[in-house]
Each structure stands twice: as C-alpha cells, then as structure tokens.
Amino acid sequence: MTSRRISREAPVQGALVIHPEREGRGQGRSPAARLEEAEGLARALDLEIREGVIVNLRRLTPATLFGSGKVEEIAALCEAVEADVVVVDDSLTPVQQRNLEKAWKVKVIDRTGLILEIFARRARTREGRLQVELARLSYERSRLVRTWTHLERQRGGFGVMGGPGETQIETDRRLIADRIGRLKRELDEVRRTRTLQRAARQRAPAPSVALVGYTNAGKSTLFNRLTSAGVEARDMLFATLDPTLRTLRLPGGRPVVLSDTVGFISDLPHELVEAFRATLEEVKEADVILHVRDIASADSDAEAADVREVLQRLGVEMAERRVIEVWNKADRLDPEARQERRTDAVLARPAAVLVSAVSGEGCEALLARIAGLIDEAPPVVIHAAAGQGDLVAWLYRHGRVLERREAEDGSVSLAVSLSDQAQGQLERLFPGVGVLA
Ligand SMILES: Nc1nc2c(ncn2[C@@H]2O[C@H](COP(=O)(O)OP(=O)(O)OP(=O)(O)O)[C@@H](O)[C@H]2O)c(=O)[nH]1
Ligand SMILES: [Mg+2]
C-alpha cells in the first residue's frame, strides 16, 4: 500500500500563469481578479504558481496569440522562474498551442483544457467520469475541425482532395466520433439507472431544494452545516463534482431533500455544460433553488451573473418564487459592510438571506425562508379520480396536504398548499387536472 502511494506521487510542476487582457472580455471583472482566478484553477491541478502576469493584447496574432516581442519576453520569464507549464487564461487554437510550446519549450494549456483536466481528476462516480470524457472528446473534436479548416486554408484551395494530413484528420475524426457514440450509449445506461433511483425518491413525500453557485462560493460548507453531512469542502476551485443528496428538516419538522452539486465559473466550456446537463437535472426539477454567493468576493455580482447565464443555458427556470439568494461568507465582511448587506438583503429580489456557513449565522432564517417558499401559496382543492395514484403521490410530495376526502367511487379530493413553482409543474405533468380554487 505504502509503496504504491509513494510511486504515484508526481513531482511538483511549476506554472507560469498568463492572463491575456482583451477589450470587452471579463464582464466587468478586474484583470487582477481574473488572473487570481486562473491561478486558483492552476492550483486546483496541483501546479505550483511560480509567477502570474497580465498581458495586454492590443492586436491578435493568429499564429501565436501574443505578438512576437511578447512571445520572446515570456520565453525568458519561463526560463527565469523554471516553469514546466504555461497556463494561458484564454482559448488557444491547436496551432497556437503548438507554436507556443515550441517557442517556450514547455507544456502549454489553455483555460478550457485546464478546466477539463480539473474535472477529469475530480470525477468519482461512473457517470461523472463518463461525462468528463465525453466533454473532453467533444472539445478535441471541435479542435480537429479547426485544424482541418486551417490546413485547407494553407493549401489555398488547391489539392483539397487527398493528402496525408487530411487523411489522418479524417481518421482521427472518425475514431473520436466512434468513441463519442460508445460513451453516449454507456451514459444512457448509467442514467437510466439514476432516473429510476430518482423516480423512487420522488415517491417519498419530500420537496427538493438545490444548491447552485459559483465555484468556491461555499455550497458544500452550507450543505454540511444544514444537514450535518461530511461532504468535502475545500478552498479549491471545483472541489465538488458529483451531486450529493441529503434529507434535512425544516422548522416545523417538514423534510426536504437538499442537493449539492458542481459549481460554475465564467467562460465555462460549453462542452462541459452539455455533458453535465443530466447531472444538473436535479436543479431543473428542484422546488426551490438556493443560489449561494460569496458576498465578500469583489466580483460577487459578476459571478452571480455568470451563474444565472449557465442556468439559463441549461433551461432552468429562475422564477422569483423559486429562488433564494444565499449571501454567504458574511463573517468576512467588516461590520459596516455587513450592516449594509443585511439591509440590501431585505429589499432584494429574488429574496436574499445573509448567512455564514462557517459560523452558522443566518442559517435559521434561511430555513424559515425555504419553508415559506414551499408553503406560501393559498391552498387549492384538487380532485383525483380513482386510479390517479400518481397524482395523489405527487401532491403529497410537492405540496402540503391540508385535508383529504375520499369518495365512494374511489376518487379523492385534496386541499393542498402548493408553491407557484409546484403549481406550474402540476399543470405540465397532469394536464387538465381538476383544480378547484
Ligand atoms: N469565511 C468563510 N469561509 C467560508 C464560508 N463558507 C465557505 N467558506 C470557505 O470557502 C471555501 C470553499 O467552500 P466550499 O464549500 O468547498 O465551496 P463550494 O461552493 O462547494 O465549491 P466547489 O465545490 O469547488 O464549487 C472553503 O475554504 C470554505 O471553508 C463562510 O461562510 N465564511
Ligand atoms: Mg463543493
């Protein structure tokens, strides 16, 4: 055992992190904050940061991204700090990556490559691993297409038929396509099992609450605080990858199922978002969404905007009646800022609660808010014919049944309090259901 562990230990790799600063990129974040985030990503891969630099890109140089003077400067810096890897916090084309590796004589990785690599290391479940592999291959395929276009252009329109490079790319593309097809079938299989598990859970009478948020916002810490679970929470980007579920009791004793899941980041590779679509179904179907934000982060607003954007891409409905913003890390604010945030939270739309997952401050209020969202709406009376057991079970799970009357023909009338969200879902799942106000 011991010897295996020793032999697996890789030597520390030193990294030079470069944040290329371009006009119109970064959505209002400061370049320094962007660089810091890129360094955090590199650290999440166990790279040791030797140096971080911001490089202003005035003009784009297609072959190397950076101009030739900058390329030379960075080559010298690489040598000076003894970097093994250069992280470029942008997307590089395969050609740029190759040219830079040649010029700097080190391995070069771009932002998407970095994020994919972190995900590959973190994936624990079979579904997680398959998803990451699928994302990686989709990314590679898109890069092959780009190389292909590039070659075509190089030939200036002549000799497009045949040629060894072309054949190789064609072969690579077909191999990747085959592998993607196989992965998708495997994933379908794994997901069928999970869907069955979810269906089984849905029979349990508990509404669901999903944690979402920017990576490192404190989702897992809050999850542990609320459920007394031992999910890994670390000061590391993308500490959590696979979803975890736990039951917790709201004030009044009502159980809800809380889910913790993967965090988001700005410029999240779209291949990853696609690959994780199924995992994020928990979020899509949740009765309440808790959007956890690091309110002490200087980029808190930009991060929140990124999270909303990803959720929108995933088709998650962010209706006000369904979302609570959890303004976390209140303990990191100075007393004045804290008071200000507390006042802001009262007026915020969607509703916001200032908490500290570490100290527990605000967590009681948060639970009360969740209970409020789940129960708030005035009750409706729903008539379920005999044999509509699925409807009755659904109502018990997603609403609060206040009264139940059974008729002789086996039909049931229920007075139920449903959230707006649940009511919308009800109409979609059971069209034409008999609702009496
Ligand atoms: N001071 C302070 N630190 C917190 C609080 N909540 C979380 N943290 C810290 O923030 C870091 C990230 O916390 P996690 O709970 O792992 O964050 P996460 O959102 O689950 O992150 P990913 O899984 O990586 O997306 C850890 O070092 C936590 O200890 C808080 O309320 N106050
Ligand atoms: Mg986490």
Side-chain angles (χ1 to χ4, degrees), residues 240-423:
T240 310
L241 199 56
D242 300 308
T244 316
L245 301 152
R246 281 287 146 78
T247 304
L248 92 102
R249 287 193 184 274
L250 295 178
R254 178 151 190 212
V256 292
V257 175
L258 186 68
S259 67
D260 181 20
T261 186
V262 59
F264 303 149
I265 197 162
S266 69
D267 306 322
L268 193 64
H270 75 266
E271 289 90 353
L272 263 183
V273 176
E274 276 312 309
F276 277 78
R277 193 176 276 276
T279 308
L280 291 164
E281 284 294 306
E282 299 288 353
V283 175
K284 220 167 160 174
E285 292 187 7
D287 295 284
V288 174
I289 292 177
L290 300 183
H291 177 181
V292 182
R293 298 178 49 181
D294 176 352
I295 210 66
S297 156
D299 284 330
S300 196
D301 289 339
E303 290 168 2
D306 285 328
V307 169
R308 285 188 209 107
E309 192 195 307
V310 178
L311 290 173
Q312 209 170 15
R313 264 156 77 191
L314 288 165
V316 175
E317 206 189 315
M318 297 290 277
E320 256 181 34
R321 286 294 301 273
R322 191 188 180 199
V323 180
I324 301 173
E325 284 203 358
V326 183
W327 292 359
N328 191 32
K329 309 200 184 180
D331 57 291
R332 288 217 178 137
L333 299 172
D334 59 49
E336 208 175 301
R338 200 149 157 175
Q339 193 47 49
E340 215 170 278
R341 284 302 195 175
R342 194 166 289 132
T343 317
D344 291 348
V346 175
L347 299 170
R349 288 287 170 274
V353 186
L354 188 67
V355 312
S356 163
V358 162
S359 77
E361 162 189 348
C363 289
E364 283 302 312
L366 174 61
L367 290 174
R369 279 290 186 133
I370 299 172
L373 264 200
I374 286 172
D375 286 342
E376 232 164 58
V380 288
V381 176
I382 294 171
H383 190 75
Q388 278 194 298
D390 52 342
L391 169 60
V392 174
W394 192 93
L395 290 169
Y396 271 96
R397 176 178 179 251
H398 291 271
R400 195 158 52 102
V401 176
L402 305 169
E403 205 183 324
R404 175 184 179 122
R405 279 207 194 126
E406 291 175 28
E408 275 179 9
D409 62 358
S411 68
V412 185
S413 294
L414 298 172
V416 199
S417 155
L418 287 169
S419 67
D420 278 3
Q421 162 66 16
Q423 194 145 348

Side-chain angles (χ1 to χ4, degrees), residues 214-221 232-240 260-263 328-332 355-358:
Y214 208 77
T215 182
N216 224 39
K219 298 175 294 298
S220 299
T221 310
E232 184 177 35
R234 291 163 73 187
D235 188 8
M236 173 176 278
L237 302 186
F238 299 118
T240 310
D260 181 20
T261 186
V262 59
N328 191 32
K329 309 200 184 180
D331 57 291
R332 288 217 178 137
V355 312
S356 163
V358 162

Side-chain angles (χ1 to χ4, degrees), residues 94-323:
V95 176
Q96 290 171 339
Q97 187 180 357
R98 260 197 314 275
N99 288 340
L100 290 175
E101 284 185 341
K102 235 183 276 165
W104 296 338
K105 300 186 188 66
V106 293
K107 194 173 148 43
V108 173
I109 186 165
D110 72 355
R111 186 179 170 91
T112 301
L114 194 58
I115 294 174
L116 284 171
E117 187 67 34
I118 297 169
F119 274 63
R121 287 216 194 162
R122 294 278 181 283
R124 290 286 172 270
T125 62
R126 192 162 133 73
E127 184 175 14
R129 281 199 298 269
L130 289 170
Q131 285 175 150
V132 173
E133 178 67 4
L134 183 63
R136 204 178 55 76
L137 283 172
S138 313
Y139 174 61
E140 258 169 39
R141 181 173 60 177
S142 72
R143 289 161 69 86
L144 275 182
V145 173
R146 248 186 274 163
T147 315
W148 158 256
T149 328
H150 169 82
L151 283 180
E152 251 179 1
R153 258 195 233 114
Q154 261 190 344
R155 291 199 193 98
F158 295 109
V160 183
M161 311 289 288
E166 196 176 306
T167 317
Q168 187 55 47
I169 287 164
E170 280 298 314
T171 315
D172 288 354
R173 281 171 78 177
R174 192 166 34 77
L175 286 178
I176 289 185
D178 287 353
R179 179 91 185 103
I180 286 179
R182 263 203 310 279
L183 272 175
K184 280 191 171 155
R185 280 192 297 278
E186 269 181 77
L187 256 176
D188 279 347
E189 193 55 43
V190 175
R191 279 177 189 157
R192 240 195 313 278
T193 320
R194 206 169 47 86
T195 311
L196 287 176
Q197 285 165 350
R198 183 158 60 213
R201 220 176 32 245
Q202 279 181 347
R203 277 196 288 278
S208 54
V209 178
L211 293 166
V212 299
Y214 208 77
T215 182
N216 224 39
K219 298 175 294 298
S220 299
T221 310
L222 184 66
F223 183 85
N224 289 340
R225 157 77 48 188
L226 297 179
T227 65
S228 319
V231 171
E232 184 177 35
R234 291 163 73 187
D235 188 8
M236 173 176 278
L237 302 186
F238 299 118
T240 310
L241 199 56
D242 300 308
T244 316
L245 301 152
R246 281 287 146 78
T247 304
L248 92 102
R249 287 193 184 274
L250 295 178
R254 178 151 190 212
V256 292
V257 175
L258 186 68
S259 67
D260 181 20
T261 186
V262 59
F264 303 149
I265 197 162
S266 69
D267 306 322
L268 193 64
H270 75 266
E271 289 90 353
L272 263 183
V273 176
E274 276 312 309
F276 277 78
R277 193 176 276 276
T279 308
L280 291 164
E281 284 294 306
E282 299 288 353
V283 175
K284 220 167 160 174
E285 292 187 7
D287 295 284
V288 174
I289 292 177
L290 300 183
H291 177 181
V292 182
R293 298 178 49 181
D294 176 352
I295 210 66
S297 156
D299 284 330
S300 196
D301 289 339
E303 290 168 2
D306 285 328
V307 169
R308 285 188 209 107
E309 192 195 307
V310 178
L311 290 173
Q312 209 170 15
R313 264 156 77 191
L314 288 165
V316 175
E317 206 189 315
M318 297 290 277
E320 256 181 34
R321 286 294 301 273
R322 191 188 180 199
V323 180

